[in-house]
Amino acid sequence: MKRSERACIAGAYEHPTRHAPDKSVAQLHAEVARGALQDAGLDARDVDGYFCAGDAPGLGPLSMVDYLGLKPRWFESTDVGGSSYLVHVRHAAQAIESGRCNVALVTLAGRPRSEGSSGTQARAYNLLAPEAPFESPFGIVPINSYAMAAQRHMHQYGTTAEQLAWIKVTASHHAQHNPRAMLRDVVSVEDVLASPLIADPLHRMECCVVSDGGGAVIVARPEVARSLKRPVVRLVGAGEAIGYPDSAAMDITTSAARESGAMAFAEAGVTPGDIRYASIYDSFTITVLIQLEDLGFCAKGQGGRFVEDGNLIAGQGRLAINTDGGGLCNNHPANRGGMTKIIEAVRQLRGEADPAVQIKDCSLAIAQGTGGMLGSRHGSATLILERA
């Protein structure tokens, strides 16, 4: 089936650092921008669209456009946490389709490791937010919010701690082949369960790493992408959604990936069974399990069985995920992992992933991101990408 060409990802770059005490956040943004442009074979003069989120310093695009030396006709600073960058790719494609720009740059960068700011220490939302007076007295932070989702999933569907641990085991099997991954040691289910319990039922090994660094992608008009000397990766489907808008009726075992994924699959005209590789946001192990269910890779409540026994390990199971080691082992720059999900999907489609984890004949991939907290309000964005 020939799918419509909305826009293409023409360049992608992941910063090699995981610790940058000697660099500013703006400098990291500039370095990933340069890397993505070089990967595409373009330069800053070709960029006429710019997208960034809350990790960008100063006044977001107003500050960064000046710092990067860009002259965009279109810019945007939508911020929905870790899913922002997948939303940006979708919005960049819409801007390209409507003639507002031809080449869009999307950047992410941060220094939480150098600054000593982790998701378990910092508040997950602005204390001026309307919900803050009702939630902040209870000390809600990401780890205990996701732990509530895990507890409920276990209670409702019989999911076990061992099944959740397999998600970390999978990440470690992939990370061993990534020389830049923060955690490269292969671990077992027993190792995961023996690590300290941080928020019942989540153990330390079930939490993503805290890293400096960043990444960037170039979204281009199809004609521009085809003129470059790089494999063409097309955006064929996308969706975005906000989870739990009615907090009184929330189901914390279900995420907004159910809506964003349905939009993306419908637009692309494909099903989960067609996907050859999946980049799934992995802030915690439960994040992966719930999103896999909601995207339709298995029925609701069957995620535990789907992920156990190595079923997500490249070359071993039904569906390979996060072949760079993901947020659980590789990196989680700026405490926002959505950008790296796009980048590894692009690598797989280009055939540029590490040979040990490269999916044979990878022609169709999904990148999935969440932002906010699954135990509270959150955003979700889904991209379906195809090798041209």
Side-chain angles (χ1 to χ4, degrees):
M1 173 182 178
K2 180 175 174 56
R3 282 172 278 278
S4 62
E5 275 191 328
R6 305 185 53 196
C8 300
I9 297 182
Y13 180 78
E14 178 185 346
H15 203 291
T17 191
R18 303 295 183 262
H19 189 211
D22 59 337
K23 297 179 186 289
S24 69
V25 173
Q27 184 179 352
L28 290 171
H29 273 273
E31 290 177 0
V32 298
R34 181 177 60 199
L37 287 167
Q38 289 176 344
D39 180 66
L42 299 167
D43 63 40
R45 292 171 295 181
D46 298 307
V47 175
D48 57 356
Y50 178 62
F51 295 72
C52 64
D55 57 277
L59 295 174
L62 301 187
S63 299
M64 291 310 301
V65 162
D66 182 38
Y67 187 84
L68 297 173
L70 304 177
K71 295 183 178 179
R73 296 189 291 132
W74 188 260
F75 58 87
E76 183 180 316
S77 57
T78 297
D79 191 352
V80 280
S83 57
S84 300
Y85 317 95
L86 295 93
V87 169
H88 291 166
V89 169
R90 185 190 194 208
H91 291 187
Q94 292 170 337
I96 288 169
E97 286 181 296
S98 61
R100 289 174 168 83
C101 64
N102 294 306
V103 176
L105 167 66
V106 185
T107 64
L108 154 77
R111 301 172 65 250
R113 185 178 177 190
S114 292
E115 295 169 0
S117 171
S118 74
T120 58
Q121 296 169 335
R123 295 290 181 184
Y125 52 84
N126 190 323
L127 289 179
L128 297 178
E131 67 273 9
F134 303 96
E135 294 186 352
S136 59
F138 299 96
I140 188 169
V141 292
I143 180 64
N144 57 35
S145 180
Y146 281 80
M148 287 193 296
Q151 283 279 21
R152 184 63 193 179
H153 203 281
M154 288 176 160
H155 170 77
Q156 193 161 331
Y157 299 112
T159 306
T160 67
E162 289 78 9
Q163 289 171 333
L164 284 176
W166 268 107
I167 296 169
K168 170 67 175 190
V169 172
T170 297
S172 74
H173 273 267
H174 294 154
Q176 69 176 315
H177 305 293
N178 182 353
R180 293 173 177 165
M182 289 183 66
L183 305 176
R184 296 188 64 194
D185 292 339
V186 176
V187 301
S188 66
V189 169
E190 292 73 24
D191 292 331
V192 177
L193 299 184
S195 66
L197 195 66
I198 304 300
D200 193 13
L202 299 179
H203 300 77
R204 184 169 63 192
M205 284 192 182
E206 297 181 80
C207 306
C208 66
V209 298
V210 176
S211 68
D212 300 343
V217 294
I218 304 295
V219 186
R221 187 173 296 281
E223 299 89 332
V224 173
R226 285 196 295 268
S227 72
L228 305 172
K229 297 178 181 180
R230 299 295 281 134
V232 176
V233 174
R234 304 189 300 178
L235 175 66
V236 295
E240 59 193 88
I242 293 176
Y244 314 144
D246 179 3
S247 59
M250 63 195 289
D251 172 9
I252 61 175
T253 67
T254 299
S255 74
R258 181 175 59 181
E259 289 76 31
S260 66
M263 292 179 207
F265 280 118
E267 188 174 88
V270 300
T271 69
D274 298 315
I275 297 298
R276 300 284 293 126
Y277 167 74
S279 276
I280 307 294
Y281 200 102
D282 55 343
S283 49
F284 303 95
T285 52
I286 187 61
T287 322
V288 174
L289 187 147
I290 287 177
Q291 288 173 105
L292 286 170
E293 292 179 341
D294 294 338
L295 291 170
F297 288 104
C298 61
K300 177 56 67 177
Q302 297 301 306
R305 294 183 180 88
F306 187 79
V307 305
E308 67 185 354
D309 297 329
N311 280 328
L312 304 179
I313 298 175
Q316 295 187 30
R318 325 175 203 182
L319 176 72
I321 73 162
N322 301 345
T323 46
D324 59 345
L328 290 171
C329 289
N330 176 27
N331 70 338
H332 194 242
N335 291 327
R336 294 161 172 254
M339 177 65 77
T340 55
K341 300 307 162 203
I342 306 168
I343 293 170
E344 184 67 3
V346 170
R347 288 194 194 109
Q348 281 286 351
L349 291 167
R350 287 176 168 180
E352 296 174 352
D354 186 279
V357 295
Q358 175 65 54
I359 307 304
K360 185 180 179 181
D361 300 323
C362 188
S363 58
L364 200 64
I366 188 170
Q368 167 63 32
T370 62
M373 299 183 287
L374 289 191
S376 181
R377 63 205 53 75
H378 65 277
S380 175
T382 311
L383 306 178
I384 308 291
L385 303 172
E386 182 179 53
R387 184 184 65 215

